[in-house]
Amino acid sequence: MFADLHLHTRFSDGTWSPVELAAKAAACGLRAMALTDHDTVEGCDSCAAAAAKLNVEFIPGTELTAELDGHEIHILGYCINTRNPELLAEMARFQSVRQNRIREIVSRLNDINVPLRSEAVFQLASCNAPGRPHVARAMVAAGLVNNLDEAFERFLKRNRPAWVPKFKMSARTAIDLIHNAGGVAVLAHPGLNHCDEIIPDIVEAGLDGIECFHTKHSTSTVEHYFEIADEYNLLITGGSDCHGMSKGKPLIGTVKLPYQHVEKLKAKAAGRKSPDAAGSNA
Ligand code: AMP
Ligand code: FE
Ligand code: FE
Ligand code: ZN
């Protein structure tokens, strides 16, 4: 019995709808799944309904963009009440910042005579939390570049002409939001962050768990974060970080988190009930 607790849909930068994602989860035999779109929970209701029909346990989640000491980190929130007003208000604010960033990126492209329109990006993204992958896809669709890599390499990555930094909330704010929505806060893919030295400070800010299993973690990386989990008494989670078909072969189900860790995650959340949960938290 396995779970995949790191999955994206088209409500952020994935390619599948929540219903399609649930079907893929069932098809690869997952006992449990979590939806963790960047800075949004919009897909959770429909994914929960689809998963229930297919007998896959659904954990509502999100992946918040945060920072500590100048390092970008991603904080996963699990078992959150997706109707929590404070969480929804903060996400709405964050989403409008993301949309303004898209306009800024497009304006920089226009400055160097790359004729992209922000409406084209918003239309292609058709979500509230758009990011650079949507700009890249819109550039391919408009015939301005040949592929996504070219868009990033020539224009979108750091030190390129259309680079615009991303607004990030503080790690403490992200963790507080998740806790206040009754959820459990987990550090995503620490192996990609290259800043283990800030882990003690994230723990101090209230971190509950660490994503040990991830597509881009080697066996030795997994072992390393087991030790850190042990040292700081953190829950262990894991997931594929599947974005649908956007990066070639779908990753869903290729990272297998033993179900016992899901039990521990739920037990932690049960001790932290959101005042707004009112029994209706899907
Ligand atoms: P953003 O959050 O808007 O800064 O965009 C970050 C996303 O861009 C991440 O999900 C990355 O997977 C994606 N990304 C970064 N570099 C590349 C690249 N060279 N090709 C394709 N996707 C990329
Ligand atoms: Fe992503
Ligand atoms: Fe991430
Ligand atoms: Zn992710």
Side-chain angles (χ1 to χ4, degrees):
M1 293 209 301
F2 294 103
D4 186 337
L5 299 186
H6 194 150
L7 299 165
H8 296 272
T9 69
R10 61 175 178 73
F11 281 102
S12 66
D13 51 356
T15 58
W16 294 327
S17 70
V19 172
E20 286 167 329
L21 183 71
K24 301 284 181 186
C28 60
L30 289 173
R31 158 84 194 261
M33 68 185 295
L35 178 55
T36 54
D37 274 318
H38 299 283
D39 305 316
T40 188
V41 292
E42 293 161 280
C44 285
D45 280 357
S46 56
C47 201
K53 281 189 200 146
L54 297 163
N55 272 320
V56 179
E57 182 178 348
F58 180 77
I59 313 261
T62 186
E63 181 175 10
L64 298 179
T65 313
E67 81 178 317
L68 201 151
D69 282 348
H71 296 279
E72 175 169 335
I73 54 173
H74 294 174
I75 306 282
L76 296 158
Y78 290 117
C79 307
I80 46 178
N81 170 18
T82 58
R83 310 228 187 289
N84 179 271
E86 185 196 0
L87 180 71
L88 292 176
E90 193 57 27
M91 283 181 162
R93 201 174 70 81
F94 216 79
Q95 289 161 10
S96 79
V97 172
R98 273 179 170 271
Q99 291 158 22
N100 287 336
R101 176 172 177 247
I102 299 292
R103 291 188 188 93
E104 179 66 29
I105 292 173
V106 169
S107 139
R108 290 188 189 206
L109 286 170
N110 294 166
D111 287 346
I112 53 164
N113 297 317
V114 178
L116 189 71
R117 291 178 313 113
S118 31
E119 288 69 31
V121 181
F122 292 133
Q123 200 173 6
L124 178 142
S126 66
C127 72
N128 291 326
R132 284 181 298 161
H134 300 111
V135 178
R137 278 194 240 156
M139 291 178 79
V140 174
L144 299 167
V145 288
N146 292 313
N147 53 53
L148 301 178
D149 256 350
E150 187 187 340
F152 276 92
E153 289 304 317
R154 285 180 60 196
F155 302 107
L156 302 176
K157 70 180 205 182
R158 192 189 285 269
N159 297 323
R160 293 294 186 270
W163 160 257
V164 177
K166 193 161 53 169
F167 174 79
K168 307 157 200 99
M169 62 179 85
S170 77
R172 188 173 287 275
T173 302
I175 292 169
D176 285 349
L177 276 174
I178 291 164
H179 286 173
N180 292 341
V184 175
V186 173
L187 179 63
H189 43 63
L192 305 190
N193 300 347
H194 309 293
C195 53
D196 278 7
E197 70 276 11
I198 66 171
I199 290 177
D201 289 340
I202 313 175
V203 171
E204 177 61 34
L207 191 72
D208 302 296
I210 189 159
E211 189 175 54
C212 293
F213 301 99
H214 184 273
T215 301
K216 294 193 173 158
H217 285 181
S218 66
T219 311
S220 63
T221 303
V222 172
E223 292 291 334
H224 170 67
Y225 290 109
F226 278 170
E227 283 168 21
I228 292 202
D230 199 42
E231 181 178 352
Y232 294 100
N233 195 23
L234 296 169
L235 295 164
I236 286 166
T237 73
S240 64
D241 211 349
C242 177
H243 287 73
M245 291 309 293
S246 62
K247 286 167 190 164
K249 183 180 162 316
L251 294 169
I252 184 169
T254 58
V255 170
K256 293 178 163 37
L257 178 74
Y259 187 76
Q260 75 204 57
H261 295 295
V262 179
E263 302 269 26
K264 289 183 186 165
L265 189 73
K266 288 194 291 180
K268 183 88 183 184
R272 190 178 282 147
K273 270 265 178 294
S274 164
D276 311 293
S280 67
N281 185 18

